[in-house]
Amino acid sequence: KAGVTQTPRYLIKTRGQQVTLSCSPISGHRSVSWYQQTPGQGLQFLFEYFSETQRNKGNFPGRFSGRQFSNSRSEMNVSTLELGDSALYLCASSRDRLTNEKLFFGSGTQLSVL
Amino acid sequence: GQQLNQSPQSMFIQEGEDVSMNCTSSSIFNTWLWYKQDPGEGPVLLIALYKAGELTSNGRLTAQFGITRKDSFLNISASIPSDVGIYFCAGRGGSNYKLTFGKGTLLTVNP
């Protein structure tokens, strides 16, 4: 069974640009969560999607948005990039939204903003 | 909101030594998950715990769900160089599906 797949693996952008990251969850998984990871802040929750609807949202500005498609694949978008957006963006999937569900991560997209 | 304190922040040990790390929560959790992350990769799930007092092993790794439901421990026995990485705890409580993560424990193993 393939794991969580994130593309692209690496991305370099400049300030002011926008970026779209993609995530394909494990087959059969319907919940997709996104996290931002930086050395100083650890894993910060961005948002979670289930059945094409955003179910949870972290404390990030509106420049960060996402969506989920009917096949459970998800994208996140960051507009008007800032230097501080440089981070490893991780996508994670789980089968359902039950409280005993395990969360499985992809390898991440390393975003560098110059 | 829920807060998780993970300690220690970092550990530097000799190969063959045992390692112990823990997480404490400000509120009761129903699920504890332990992850390991290698540099530049996503966290990999090591152990999942669902019941207070539960003790679960995965090879040289053993994790426990604290009796108070506010803490969890991860032990690594006879460490080897490939154990190097960042270990994260994560917890979930009540009806809130969202996971709360600890800040991680950076483990360095000296061969």
Side-chain angles (χ1 to χ4, degrees):
Chain A
K1 206 177 192 181
V4 179
T5 304
Q6 289 188 248
T7 56
R9 191 75 175 86
Y10 302 95
L11 209 45
I12 298 175
K13 292 284 188 179
T14 55
R15 274 184 304 174
Q17 286 186 310
Q18 67 94 26
V19 67
T20 300
L21 312 181
S22 179
C23 172
S24 293
I26 292 171
S27 177
H29 284 200
R30 297 189 294 164
S31 171
V32 173
S33 301
W34 288 89
Y35 292 82
Q36 181 196 65
Q37 187 177 31
T38 56
Q41 296 297 317
L43 281 157
Q44 302 289 309
F45 174 75
L46 281 156
F47 26 66
E48 182 229 342
Y49 286 87
F50 182 83
S51 292
E52 301 176 66
T53 303
Q54 188 179 90
R55 303 298 177 127
N56 263 313
K57 191 176 190 311
N59 296 324
F60 278 82
R63 300 185 297 106
F64 292 81
S65 63
R67 58 178 175 166
Q68 186 181 34
F69 303 94
S70 58
N71 61 359
S72 294
R73 194 176 70 83
S74 176
E75 288 180 349
M76 68 162 277
N77 185 277
V78 188
S79 62
T80 320
L81 284 165
E82 301 177 0
L83 294 179
D85 296 334
S86 294
L88 180 66
Y89 289 88
L90 293 162
C91 168
S93 76
S94 62
R95 193 180 43 184
D96 214 313
R97 298 195 83 242
L98 302 175
T99 56
N100 63 348
E101 288 291 344
K102 298 173 185 175
L103 198 65
F104 297 92
F105 285 86
S107 295
T109 293
Q110 184 68 55
L111 172 65
S112 297
V113 182
L114 306 177
Chain B
Q2 294 168 333
Q3 292 183 6
L4 265 187
N5 291 314
Q6 185 171 351
S7 65
Q9 268 189 310
S10 61
M11 301 182 77
F12 189 94
I13 62 170
Q14 294 294 123
E15 183 177 359
E17 288 183 357
D18 296 345
V19 169
S20 187
M21 58 192 80
N22 70 85
C23 280
T24 57
S25 166
S26 58
S27 52
I28 289 174
F29 279 175
N30 298 324
T31 300
W32 283 98
L33 304 175
W34 282 92
Y35 290 87
K36 180 192 177 216
Q37 185 177 26
D38 292 326
E41 297 292 330
V44 173
L45 182 64
L46 298 172
I47 292 179
L49 302 160
Y50 302 109
K51 235 166 59 166
E54 180 182 354
L55 189 71
T56 298
S57 292
N58 177 6
R60 293 177 295 105
L61 277 61
T62 301
Q64 183 162 26
F65 194 139
I67 292 290
T68 65
R69 295 171 66 193
K70 289 187 176 183
D71 56 6
S72 180
F73 306 85
L74 175 70
N75 295 312
I76 305 172
S77 63
S79 58
I80 58 178
S82 62
D83 290 335
V84 163
I86 303 177
Y87 292 80
F88 290 98
C89 63
R92 196 186 273 137
S95 59
N96 189 354
Y97 172 74
K98 196 180 91 173
L99 271 176
T100 300
F101 280 84
K103 294 252 187 244
T105 295
L106 173 61
L107 177 65
T108 304
V109 179
N110 196 27

